[in-house]
Amino acid sequence: MAVLEVRQLNYVYAAKTPYEKHALKDVSLQVEQGEFVGVIGHTGSGKSTLVQHLNGLLRPTSGQILLNGKDIWEKPKEIRRVRFEVGMVFQYPEHQLFEETVRRDIAFGPRNMGLSDEEVERRVQKAATFAGLREELLDSSPFDLSGGQKRRVAIAGVMAMEPQVLVLDEPTAGLDPRGREQMLRQIERYRRENGTTVLLVSHSMEDVAAIADRVLVMNGGEAAMMAPTEEVFSRAEELEAMGLSVPAVTRIFMALRRRGYDVGDNVYTVEKAVERLMPLLKRGCRPC
Amino acid sequence: MLNDITIGQFFPGNSLIHRLDPRVKILLTIAYIAAVFVPVNWYGLGLAVLFLVTAVALSRLPVKLLWKSIKPILPIILFTALLNMFYVGGGTVLWEWGILKLTSKGLVNAAFLAVRIVCLIAGSSLLTYTTGPTTLTDALERLLGPLKVIRVPVHEIAMMMTIALRFIPTLVEETDKIMSAQKARGADMESGGLLQRIKALVPVLIPLFVSSFRRAYELAMAMECRCYHGGEGRTRMKQLHMGLRDAAAVAVMLLLFTAMILLNCWTAPVL
Ligand SMILES: Nc1ncnc2c1ncn2[C@@H]1O[C@H](COP(=O)(O)OP(=O)(O)OP(=O)(O)O)[C@@H](O)[C@H]1O
Ligand SMILES: [Mg+2]
């Protein structure tokens, strides 16, 4: 059974005013346990709006969100429970820190869950490790950290709730290339070791191509595609029509193929590119 | 939830009233507020109402909008009217209960007062509906210009008002975002007693303050980078011009005053 299921979801911002905006139109999708789903789409396509529905921050105008087969709005009073099950990291999460120490900020979520002090401490330690925060940082003020470190604290704060589903809205925005790669690796490791289902919203096709099992493509408020990663990136023309691109390596390989080099298709990571190019180089690299 | 707050109620348009010089509009509004207190009987007040209705018609604002500005103070109007109803004596007694006495004069008085207040509110909302907040502060700066002689930092005050108005929507949006983020971590802001609710605001207020300061520093830096140095020798992109239509508006207002004073002399007071 799918962990998360979205059925015919519609959402309208500022309904019945001149600023009315139909941000989600009949979106339906299913996410399986333990899956890594990448969410891509042009600016304003409704990615953030969609993910905010998954933990009940926004209430659907129409349609349903099912978590483990149960409608999350069945008992509106208990929506807080859903928020512990579906952890959500916002865009620029470093702006939400408020505690005196990093340790206490990470503990905010687990404490709200009503866990014992020992359990909270255990989770803080664990989450800090996964987010790549060194032990000695835990007792400093979050406001004294660098931007990247703050981001890690914020992500650790959500990981510490040990949610069943982890949703991250552009966690790598504004980080340098090495920071991005590290961040993604840590998220992937967290997923592997905890069996967590992960949804990652990203503007970077490279990031998504490198780690997602399946990709959801949003376009103008609709779910345009939801398919395995290689399938999505093999439909380059369609993506480009939606104002998206394919990873740079994929573009290079498409150009190579057009010039008659036999490199095959479905190349969307650098590793794969190397694997395909090596035999070609050994043969002496000629168009065939 | 926070999206419902609308501050700065400007309703864009291109009517005659929208195009009046904002300085003239401010002065005329003040004059109108004074004018509403001139009449002593229904003829004069009727004139004030007529003036207002004409102005609203000229501005092409939806009437619903004006109603929206009057609605919140309706209880106050009713309360004042009620107080007056029993406070003013004279005329025939209509109803009596203990020390409470309702007289015909009291009733008329209450109605008169209510119409006056509605005129006041509607008249001043007409100004804020037809003038953008920045235009308004700009005009205020010009009008208060003479105060610079006695060292009132008029330009700085106007700039502060402009910045404050500009940042209200930004801060509202930011508050919304931070609240969502803390709710996502299980913060409970909807239940609990008063003390608990105040405590629940801490995780929202601290990040909000931090980001407000950050924004203030960034804005100050950006202004300095563009060589902002206060009002001294600063020119404007949008020059205010007074024209024929402003002169006409002032003339109409003077006419209103004259007519009201004459009516006061020739007709009997109602109170
Ligand atoms: N609070 C709001 N009120 C009104 N409209 C909104 C609000 N938030 C978003 N929208 C509108 O809804 C649409 C979808 O916005 P959303 O934030 O979901 O896009 P996104 O895909 O996350 O974009 P980005 O990649 O820039 O983050 C946009 O057209 C946006 O203008
Ligand atoms: Mg977004």
Side-chain angles (χ1 to χ4, degrees):
Chain A
M1 185 179 59
V3 190
L4 258 182
E5 185 177 349
V6 176
R7 280 191 194 157
Q8 299 285 312
L9 176 62
N10 278 281
Y11 190 74
V12 182
Y13 278 112
K16 301 199 191 79
T17 69
Y19 307 102
E20 186 169 293
K21 169 93 202 172
H22 199 157
L24 290 178
K25 298 167 196 154
D26 282 331
V27 175
S28 295
L29 56 104
Q30 292 192 355
V31 179
E32 301 299 328
Q33 174 69 43
E35 216 181 359
F36 199 127
V37 177
V39 182
I40 59 176
H42 197 260
T43 289
S45 58
K47 304 182 294 291
S48 301
T49 310
L50 172 66
V51 295
Q52 284 179 59
H53 277 91
L54 302 180
N55 70 342
L57 282 172
L58 293 176
R59 193 164 180 168
T61 304
S62 75
Q64 281 182 312
I65 318 285
L66 307 182
L67 178 65
N68 296 317
K70 269 176 63 184
D71 188 343
I72 62 168
W73 286 102
E74 201 170 68
K75 292 187 191 130
K77 288 232 164 68
E78 290 176 18
I79 195 70
R80 234 153 62 98
R81 293 251 293 282
V82 174
R83 304 209 172 126
F84 299 134
E85 287 307 316
V86 182
M88 163 99 201
V89 180
F90 276 81
Q91 239 160 335
Y92 295 98
E94 54 271 32
H95 295 163
Q96 74 199 32
L97 305 177
F98 71 98
E99 275 287 10
E100 282 159 59
T101 65
V102 170
R103 186 189 304 276
R104 290 181 51 169
D105 208 285
I106 298 177
F108 182 66
R111 238 179 251 294
N112 283 332
M113 298 169 79
L115 301 171
S116 69
D117 284 353
E118 298 86 65
E119 177 66 8
V120 169
E121 181 56 26
R122 184 191 71 76
R123 289 186 174 205
V124 169
Q125 295 285 350
K126 196 171 152 207
T129 319
F130 275 118
L133 288 164
R134 275 172 290 115
E135 174 76 35
E136 61 266 30
L137 281 180
L138 288 184
D139 289 308
S140 46
S141 159
F143 298 106
D144 294 340
L145 304 181
S146 76
Q149 286 170 325
K150 282 186 194 162
R151 173 96 42 109
R152 287 165 193 281
V153 174
I155 293 177
V158 175
M159 285 179 171
M161 300 195 300
E162 301 192 350
Q164 204 183 344
V165 181
L166 181 64
V167 183
L168 302 119
D169 197 346
E170 297 193 39
T172 56
L175 294 184
D176 59 286
R178 182 182 297 167
R180 303 170 80 98
E181 199 184 313
Q182 250 176 20
M183 184 76 77
L184 289 176
R185 254 210 318 271
Q186 272 147 355
I187 293 168
E188 172 61 15
R189 194 164 69 106
Y190 175 85
R191 175 182 80 119
R192 244 190 356 253
E193 292 182 19
N194 295 283
T196 313
T197 310
V198 177
L199 266 88
L200 177 91
V201 178
S202 181
H203 270 138
S204 159
M205 302 302 140
E206 278 78 7
D207 290 359
V208 170
I211 54 175
D213 301 324
R214 283 202 299 159
V215 176
L216 165 67
V217 184
M218 294 294 297
N219 185 31
E222 289 173 41
M225 295 184 212
M226 173 82 176
T229 311
E230 44 284 28
E231 194 187 319
V232 167
F233 287 122
S234 66
R235 292 153 76 175
E237 288 83 28
E238 278 171 70
L239 288 179
E240 259 150 37
M242 297 176 204
L244 296 170
S245 61
V246 291
V249 270
T250 312
R251 265 203 309 271
I252 293 172
F253 271 68
M254 277 160 44
L256 282 176
R257 245 191 356 260
R258 270 200 302 278
R259 294 189 183 189
Y261 290 94
D262 176 27
V263 286
D265 44 12
N266 292 345
V267 179
Y268 47 85
T269 61
V270 176
E271 287 80 49
K272 191 96 170 232
V274 172
E275 191 184 298
R276 292 281 172 80
L277 278 182
M278 287 320 277
L280 206 64
L281 284 172
K282 283 199 190 103
R283 275 212 329 260
C285 195
R286 252 175 292 103
C288 38
Chain B
M1 167 188 72
L2 288 166
N3 286 331
D4 301 337
I5 304 173
T6 45
I7 305 167
Q9 32 187 357
F10 182 43
F11 190 87
N14 197 26
S15 71
L16 185 66
I17 308 281
H18 280 91
R19 278 177 297 165
L20 281 181
D21 186 290
R23 289 168 293 182
V24 173
K25 251 192 283 188
I26 294 177
L27 291 178
L28 286 183
T29 307
I30 297 173
Y32 181 74
I33 289 173
V36 168
F37 286 97
V38 172
V40 291
N41 57 30
W42 290 106
Y43 299 110
L45 196 62
L47 219 54
V49 172
L50 186 71
F51 181 88
L52 184 71
V53 170
T54 317
V56 171
L58 281 176
S59 71
R60 303 221 188 96
L61 289 177
V63 179
K64 235 170 54 191
L65 214 61
L66 277 185
W67 170 240
K68 234 175 75 188
S69 70
I70 295 173
K71 210 164 64 179
I73 49 154
L74 215 53
I76 302 178
I77 298 179
L78 284 180
F79 183 70
T80 335
L82 218 65
L83 266 185
N84 261 269
M85 207 145 61
F86 293 105
Y87 189 71
V88 178
T92 48
V93 178
L94 300 172
W95 181 76
E96 209 170 345
W97 188 74
I99 52 160
L100 288 180
K101 210 194 277 175
L102 185 61
T103 64
S104 59
K105 221 166 177 181
L107 211 58
V108 170
N109 193 309
F112 204 75
L113 197 86
V115 174
R116 253 186 191 163
I117 302 181
V118 170
C119 281
L120 275 185
I121 306 297
S124 35
S125 333
L126 196 59
L127 173 70
T128 48
Y129 278 133
T130 58
T131 322
T134 27
T135 323
L136 212 55
T137 44
D138 202 16
L140 268 180
E141 181 182 348
R142 294 305 202 77
L143 284 175
L144 298 179
L147 291 183
K148 277 185 203 146
V149 180
I150 54 165
R151 308 216 161 183
V152 177
V154 176
H155 172 79
E156 282 71 16
I157 294 174
M159 182 55 95
M160 279 179 343
M161 276 167 63
T162 311
I163 293 175
L165 285 172
R166 161 63 187 79
F167 274 95
I168 288 170
T170 314
L171 282 184
V172 169
E173 196 178 306
E174 183 106 7
T175 313
D176 234 6
K177 252 195 219 153
I178 296 173
M179 273 172 92
S180 296
Q182 307 299 26
K183 273 193 210 156
R185 291 205 279 166
D188 185 6
M189 304 193 195
E190 273 112 38
S191 60
L194 185 65
L195 200 68
Q196 233 171 339
R197 281 187 190 214
I198 293 173
K199 259 179 148 169
L201 280 181
V202 172
V204 176
L205 289 181
I206 293 178
L208 196 61
F209 271 111
V210 171
S211 83
S212 305
F213 278 109
R214 198 186 63 239
R215 274 181 209 287
Y217 280 122
E218 282 171 3
L219 182 66
M221 190 77 83
M223 284 166 82
E224 257 170 27
C225 287
R226 297 190 210 170
C227 304
Y228 176 78
H229 56 83
E232 211 63 35
R234 197 171 158 79
T235 55
R236 287 167 189 285
M237 189 164 90
K238 280 194 191 139
Q239 293 287 349
L240 297 177
H241 293 293
M242 281 195 224
L244 220 55
R245 78 172 82 86
D246 301 295
V250 172
V252 171
M253 183 54 84
L254 285 177
L255 215 63
L256 179 73
F257 264 97
T258 321
M260 277 177 169
I261 291 169
L262 287 180
L263 274 173
N264 275 359
C265 296
W266 291 341
T267 53
V270 72
L271 306 177

